[in-house]
Amino acid sequence: MSPDAGVFALVNNLRDPRDPRGCQYPLGAVLLVALCALACRFDSFRAMGQWAAVAPSATLERLGLRRRGAFGLVKTPSSDTIRRVVNAVMPGGLEGLLRAFQDKARVVAVDGKCLRGSRDAAGQAVMVLGAMLQDGTLIAQQKVADKGSEITGFAALLAALELEDAVVVADALHTQREHARVLVEEFGAHYAFPVKRNQPELWKACRKVPWQGVRAAFRSTVRAHGRIDTRVVEVVSFDGLDFPCARQVARITRYRTVQATGKRSRETVYVITDLPSGQADPQRIGEIVQAEWGIENKIHYVRDATFGEDASRIRTGHGPQNMATLRSVAMNFARRMGSSIADARRQLALAPHTAPLDLFGIPCDLHIRALNPTL
């Protein structure tokens, strides 16, 4: 189901982990309260409860809450109720909301992020692995036990996505033979992996490629943020690498000049891919690699700086993982508003009890509750 149809039906199809005895609020309604409040800068459970407490009855009914008692009042979930529901709901089902954003993917970037504020008494923080499209839309997310197990979570994260003919990029941690084999042979996808010194033999092999005779190259220069960045992408077809399905090797040299000080620096990165030269020339490979570099700015930085993810102290149950998913869903929708994510959240905050519901496509027709017979 497309997110354009609204998240109402998607959320209300989630399995409720609670004992049905004593449940006063539908699972979907509580999650929608959390999502709508989060979108307009009510970031903590306490703030979400406050958002719900002052919401008009029409808004609450639109979210799926029902009138009760002789006076027909709509009772709102407290901050404690919201916390218990978010902590209890199974993350896999909630993360399915992100997969609804996947269209025909051309390039998918994979990277992990540590939720620093989730550290427990033992000092362990939740690590999530995410997959992003080139426009910054997060389409998949999954928890991993620690930084080391990020490698083992790679295939599981991508297994639920439609990756036929897509190109998957990741950081050097995921330049693994098994990852390349799974992508090409099982998923029908392609890969473009950077090679650094953590793979010393492969790195040496890339350096030994006869670069002096390479003619296929692309050069680009960008002036921004007080810097002049020039990238030179050189590509050669080379089948001498001991790596599954590798067809081309690229050498990307980045030259940077800080305009204020005149300081200059240079960095060289090697990239291997199974894409043949007919499908990926130097310019195309440069664009593909930029997708992996962009995940830090488009996803990680936005969640930290705009949604305060690292400052969040949610630690119990599935709370850290589920809140990260809700932030990502809100971020995906806010990105569609055509402004920065911060500006979009401020615009939503100007009409906190109507604008988020319109953004998420929550229907105004109260009879839509028939979608869920339990309401």
Side-chain angles (χ1 to χ4, degrees), residues 64-358:
L65 295 168
R66 55 181 178 268
R67 294 182 179 271
R68 296 174 178 271
F71 297 100
L73 300 178
V74 183
K75 187 177 179 181
T76 58
S78 66
S79 57
D80 286 339
T81 298
I82 297 172
R83 172 181 55 78
R84 286 193 296 268
V85 169
V86 173
N87 287 349
V89 71
M90 295 304 295
L94 194 60
E95 287 164 353
L97 296 176
L98 295 172
R99 291 194 291 274
F101 288 89
Q102 183 188 12
D103 199 351
K104 181 61 177 177
R106 295 185 60 197
V107 178
V108 176
V110 177
D111 196 14
K113 183 181 188 300
C114 177
L115 308 181
R116 302 185 186 279
S118 66
R119 295 187 185 277
D120 56 21
Q124 295 295 319
V126 173
M127 173 73 66
V128 292
L129 190 63
M132 181 196 77
L133 300 181
Q134 277 184 293
D135 64 357
T137 300
L138 196 72
I139 59 173
Q141 182 173 281
Q142 178 178 285
K143 177 183 176 181
V144 292
D146 51 52
K147 189 67 175 178
S149 66
E150 188 178 320
I151 296 175
T152 61
F154 182 87
L157 173 76
L158 299 176
L161 301 177
E162 177 54 56
L163 294 176
E164 185 73 27
D165 294 328
V167 183
V168 176
V169 296
D171 59 23
L173 178 66
H174 295 289
T175 306
Q176 306 289 332
R177 296 174 59 86
E178 182 62 15
H179 290 358
R181 187 197 65 78
V182 168
L183 287 173
V184 176
E185 297 180 7
E186 298 185 18
F187 297 163
H190 303 283
Y191 65 84
F193 290 155
V195 179
K196 296 185 179 179
R197 294 176 186 268
N198 64 322
Q199 299 268 12
E201 296 302 321
L202 190 59
W203 184 75
K204 290 177 183 177
C206 290
R207 289 193 66 193
K208 291 180 180 178
V209 171
W211 296 107
Q212 63 276 8
V214 174
R215 296 179 179 271
F218 173 75
R219 181 187 183 95
S220 64
T221 300
V222 176
R223 297 172 181 264
H225 308 293
R227 302 189 303 264
I228 302 175
D229 291 320
T230 300
R231 293 189 307 137
V232 178
V233 183
E234 302 167 280
V235 182
V236 60
S237 296
F238 190 74
D239 57 4
L241 292 179
D242 183 21
F243 200 82
C245 307
R247 293 186 180 181
Q248 291 194 97
V249 183
R251 182 173 69 176
I252 303 177
T253 307
R254 295 191 291 243
Y255 302 91
R256 171 170 292 178
T257 301
V258 179
Q259 293 177 291
T261 63
K263 182 180 178 180
R264 298 180 179 181
S265 61
R266 184 182 70 176
E267 180 185 13
T268 300
V269 177
Y270 297 101
V271 176
I272 54 176
T273 179
D274 70 309
L275 289 166
S277 57
Q279 296 183 37
D281 59 11
Q283 181 176 355
R284 174 65 176 151
I285 288 181
E287 293 171 351
I288 290 172
V289 172
Q290 273 194 305
E292 196 279 320
W293 297 340
I295 197 169
E296 287 287 343
N297 294 329
K298 294 179 179 179
I299 300 292
H300 298 173
Y301 177 79
V302 171
R303 285 181 14 185
D304 286 339
T306 307
F307 286 87
E309 186 164 79
D310 275 355
S312 173
R313 291 297 180 263
I314 299 173
R315 299 185 178 93
T316 57
H318 300 303
Q321 188 176 354
N322 286 334
M323 283 299 297
T325 300
L326 292 176
R327 293 185 194 103
S328 298
V329 172
M331 179 178 61
N332 286 350
F333 273 98
R335 201 178 293 279
R336 296 177 166 196
M337 294 178 65
S339 58
S340 71
I341 305 296
D343 283 345
R345 295 188 81 197
R346 284 190 287 268
Q347 292 177 38
L348 294 174
L350 295 175
H353 295 119
T354 55
L357 282 72
D358 294 337

Side-chain angles (χ1 to χ4, degrees), residues 11-74:
V11 170
N12 280 289
N13 282 330
L14 296 177
R15 186 179 69 83
D16 194 337
R18 302 171 297 173
D19 188 329
R21 295 172 297 180
C23 285
Q24 299 185 52
Y25 309 101
L27 176 74
V30 179
L31 291 175
L32 288 173
V33 166
L35 179 61
C36 291
L38 178 68
C40 48
R41 308 182 70 179
F42 291 78
D43 294 319
S44 67
F45 290 140
R46 181 180 178 84
M48 292 171 185
Q50 293 170 338
W51 181 91
V54 297
S57 297
T59 295
L60 298 173
E61 286 191 283
R62 190 174 168 186
L63 293 173
L65 295 168
R66 55 181 178 268
R67 294 182 179 271
R68 296 174 178 271
F71 297 100
L73 300 178
V74 183

